[in-house]
Amino acid sequence: MGHLFITTALLSVLVATAWSAITFNLKEVHTQEQLVGQSRPLPAARGGNIMDPNALAKNKYTPPEEKDAQFWYDIANEEIAKRLALPQADKRKAKNLIMFLGDGMSLTTIAAARILKGQLKGNTGEEDALSFEKFPYTGLSRTYCSNAQVPDSACTATAYLCGVKTNIVALGITANVNFNNCSGSEDPANQVSSIAAWAQAAGKGSGIVTTTTLTHASPSGAYAHSTNRFFESDTDIVAYGEDQNFPESCTDIAQQLITKEPGKNFDVMLGGGMGKFLPKSITDKFGNQGERSDGVNLLSRWQSLHPDGALAYNRKQLLSVNPKNTPRLIGLFNSGVMDFHKLADPEKQPTLEEMTKKAIEVVSQNPNGYFLFIEGGLIDYGNHFNVPQMGLDEVHELSKAVETALGMTNPNETLIVVTSDHAHPLSISGYPGRGTNILGLNQHDTDVNGVRYATLNYAVGTNPYLDENGKRVPLEDKIDDPSFVFPSYITGNIGVHSGDDVGVFATGPQSHLFSGVMQQHTIPHLMAYAGCIGNGPTVCDN
């Protein structure tokens, strides 16, 4: 045990001193080309992405019956009814509803993060636990979307926030809308409302928190209706619309957040992505040019709509906000997505835990309770880049945020649900012994050529580490580098998602309903049942 403690302590010191030398381009890791199918050559505005997003939504079949929202509402009601047919010991109503999302947080990612947490304490690691793993109820969520066996973060956000499955890349609309069809997504008949809107209709507070951008796919599911998740600004509509749409015929996601319900009614919004809200004529707080082509300053518009609101651009400003005097709050802490926690400047960017604490303080001023969506969005980025040393740390940050929420809320009044949108093809491989460094080599197994392999591996990634003869090369002199890209079997431009079920962890009123295997879109209906909001069945009906 002493040797293990020295090894892990030394690893922690080496990692801490080396992070500053690491840089990752945290631009959009998904592209239309990958998500929707083959497309024509990339426009210049899209060429900076690692993959072209327009590929994801094309040439994929949608069962006709799944284009109707009622199809999904009926399934959700059936799944609720099955659970209610069992003995119901919990009669409590949830005043407050908090959904935590670990983007790309597969079950393997959770297991690896748990092990790493223990090893950083000097223990073997496997016996440790993340905060939400201690919740009393656990289930599994089925993540497929209407036209995708393996989903993206947009169709899944529509599922776990709006209660309806839709086509890949789409947000807040039914699968009846074809890809890049603006008229279809603007038609109210095709739009589906979110649990945030249900909470607002009940007089509750609401908000979104993310380490990505406020207009990223996951948080956008709480407020946006878009045929394409990449229509984050008017400039993006031109870049990704393939000449089929123009900004005047399709409302970009940033504009929806600021000017339309339910986004304009949010009490708190914390994350990155300032560029989507500012015109190109303005340099943002981080020295970068705004991205909007329409000349509109959406942050100024928000201030005019909410003169009593506050804007924060760094950690100090956020922490200094007095929630009793601040009924509305926007915090934007980077031009694009926020930095990995390991690489973030602590003077500039707050942690997910700090953003969670402030968000709860703000929405807690509402006597009717609240709904909060809180995302650890860079777990996904760590897995896409095949750098689990980053992704697992982001899981730790999510775990800390959940722990803080537990400490700030009344367990008899607050339902907390932790889940993921989709998985990643990360594996813990071979038969490594207890205490094997989860970020190191498996010391107990070799391949057929006698070469040791990493404990963590990806199915698809950027480097299989093969020599000119196709044989694996030794990794002993590489794997301890803090910026090491972990091995993959299939070589691609970047890591991909996988179609595994993901975990659902629940505590608080009606948390017992989150046991077993469920469709992902049932999650918000279960939360609405507990909180007595929305148009479906609720515990208050009894």
Side-chain angles (χ1 to χ4, degrees), residues 66 72 143-152 154-156 159 165-168 520:
E66 297 188 11
W72 301 108
T143 64
Y144 71 91
C145 289
S146 291
N147 67 344
Q149 189 175 78
V150 176
D152 78 318
C155 62
T156 52
K165 292 201 177 193
T166 190
N167 292 330
I168 198 167
Q520 188 172 55

Side-chain angles (χ1 to χ4, degrees), residues 49-323:
N49 285 344
I50 299 172
M51 303 171 289
D52 181 21
N54 273 10
L56 274 74
K58 296 180 180 176
N59 306 316
K60 293 178 178 176
Y61 169 74
T62 303
E65 64 275 13
E66 297 188 11
K67 296 180 179 182
D68 186 348
Q70 192 61 46
F71 174 86
W72 301 108
Y73 295 147
D74 289 344
I75 291 177
N77 288 336
E78 289 173 7
E79 293 200 333
I80 293 174
K82 288 179 182 177
R83 287 163 170 77
L84 294 181
L86 301 173
Q88 301 297 307
D90 188 355
K91 304 297 183 182
R92 296 172 299 170
K93 169 189 172 182
K95 175 182 177 181
N96 309 311
L97 304 165
I98 304 177
M99 179 185 291
F100 281 94
L101 185 91
D103 196 309
M105 188 173 68
S106 64
L107 293 174
T108 306
T109 302
I110 291 174
R114 171 204 312 148
I115 294 170
L116 179 60
K117 179 187 175 186
Q119 291 183 347
L120 290 173
K121 298 175 183 176
N123 301 323
T124 53
E126 295 84 0
E127 68 289 336
D128 217 300
L130 303 169
S131 61
F132 52 87
E133 291 186 289
K134 302 173 186 177
F135 283 9
Y137 297 100
T138 304
L140 291 173
S141 167
R142 301 170 63 183
T143 64
Y144 71 91
C145 289
S146 291
N147 67 344
Q149 189 175 78
V150 176
D152 78 318
S153 292
C155 62
T156 52
T158 305
Y160 62 72
L161 285 168
C162 300
V164 171
K165 292 201 177 193
T166 190
N167 292 330
I168 198 167
V169 179
L171 280 166
I173 56 176
T174 68
N176 190 49
V177 180
N178 294 327
F179 172 65
N180 269 359
N181 183 332
C182 273
S183 61
S185 62
E186 296 283 332
D187 185 348
N190 295 321
Q191 297 177 351
V192 291
S193 60
S194 74
I195 188 172
W198 309 341
Q200 289 179 9
K204 294 182 181 293
S206 57
I208 55 175
V209 177
T210 180
T211 51
T212 60
T213 67
L214 295 182
T215 54
H216 216 257
S218 300
S220 295
Y223 64 87
H225 308 286
S226 180
T227 181
N228 191 328
R229 58 177 282 189
F230 301 100
F231 288 179
E232 296 181 60
S233 72
D234 65 317
T235 304
D236 295 326
I237 295 175
V238 175
Y240 294 109
E242 298 184 327
D243 297 335
Q244 298 178 43
N245 303 287
F246 299 93
E248 58 268 19
S249 64
C250 204
T251 309
D252 66 81
I253 293 171
Q255 186 175 352
Q256 290 187 50
L257 177 58
I258 299 300
T259 67
K260 294 192 173 186
E261 294 183 345
K264 71 175 185 178
N265 298 328
F266 285 153
D267 302 290
V268 59
M269 298 175 276
L270 304 176
M274 182 176 284
K276 304 298 183 184
F277 299 92
L278 297 177
K280 294 179 179 179
S281 59
I282 292 180
T283 299
D284 69 17
K285 297 291 184 179
F286 312 100
N288 296 307
Q289 184 183 37
E291 299 183 35
R292 301 193 65 82
S293 301
D294 58 9
V296 175
N297 184 331
L298 287 174
L299 296 182
S300 294
R301 181 170 294 184
W302 182 84
Q303 286 183 301
S304 67
L305 293 171
H306 306 289
D308 55 353
L311 282 83
Y313 305 118
N314 58 52
R315 179 174 180 265
K316 182 179 179 180
Q317 289 177 346
L318 177 70
L319 298 184
S320 67
V321 169
N322 183 345

Side-chain angles (χ1 to χ4, degrees), residues 106 108-109 112 382-383 385-389 392 424-432 437-442 445 447 451-466 472-473 475 479 484-490 495-496 498 500:
S106 64
T108 306
T109 302
N383 278 328
F385 284 121
N386 299 155
V387 285
Q389 60 271 42
L392 302 188
H424 275 268
L426 173 68
S427 66
I428 303 175
S429 304
Y431 303 95
N437 179 4
I438 194 65
L439 293 176
L441 286 177
N442 176 354
D445 298 294
D447 67 10
V451 178
R452 298 194 187 281
Y453 51 85
T455 304
L456 295 179
N457 296 271
Y458 289 90
V460 179
T462 58
N463 198 334
Y465 294 98
L466 304 176
R472 293 181 52 257
V473 299
L475 299 176
I479 199 166
F484 177 70
V485 174
F486 274 65
S488 54
Y489 167 60
I490 298 170
V496 298
S498 63
D500 316 23

Side-chain angles (χ1 to χ4, degrees), residues 373-492:
F373 173 76
I374 302 171
E375 180 195 24
L378 299 182
I379 301 167
D380 179 67
Y381 278 65
N383 278 328
H384 272 294
F385 284 121
N386 299 155
V387 285
Q389 60 271 42
M390 295 293 187
L392 302 188
D393 180 69
E394 295 296 323
V395 176
H396 293 167
E397 291 302 295
L398 178 69
S399 180
K400 293 176 188 176
V402 172
E403 190 74 44
T404 291
L406 286 169
M408 295 179 67
T409 56
N410 183 338
N412 290 317
E413 293 185 339
T414 306
L415 172 64
I416 299 178
V417 176
V418 181
T419 188
S420 179
D421 49 355
H422 57 77
H424 275 268
L426 173 68
S427 66
I428 303 175
S429 304
Y431 303 95
R434 277 293 296 274
T436 296
N437 179 4
I438 194 65
L439 293 176
L441 286 177
N442 176 354
Q443 298 297 331
H444 298 85
D445 298 294
T446 65
D447 67 10
V448 294
N449 297 310
V451 178
R452 298 194 187 281
Y453 51 85
T455 304
L456 295 179
N457 296 271
Y458 289 90
V460 179
T462 58
N463 198 334
Y465 294 98
L466 304 176
D467 64 17
E468 62 276 8
N469 298 314
K471 294 183 177 180
R472 293 181 52 257
V473 299
L475 299 176
E476 280 81 356
D477 61 339
K478 300 177 178 65
I479 199 166
D480 289 335
D481 185 334
S483 62
F484 177 70
V485 174
F486 274 65
S488 54
Y489 167 60
I490 298 170
T491 305

Side-chain angles (χ1 to χ4, degrees), residues 361-378:
E361 289 174 348
V362 171
V363 294
S364 292
Q365 304 306 307
N366 190 315
N368 298 320
Y370 55 81
F371 167 78
L372 275 178
F373 173 76
I374 302 171
E375 180 195 24
L378 299 182

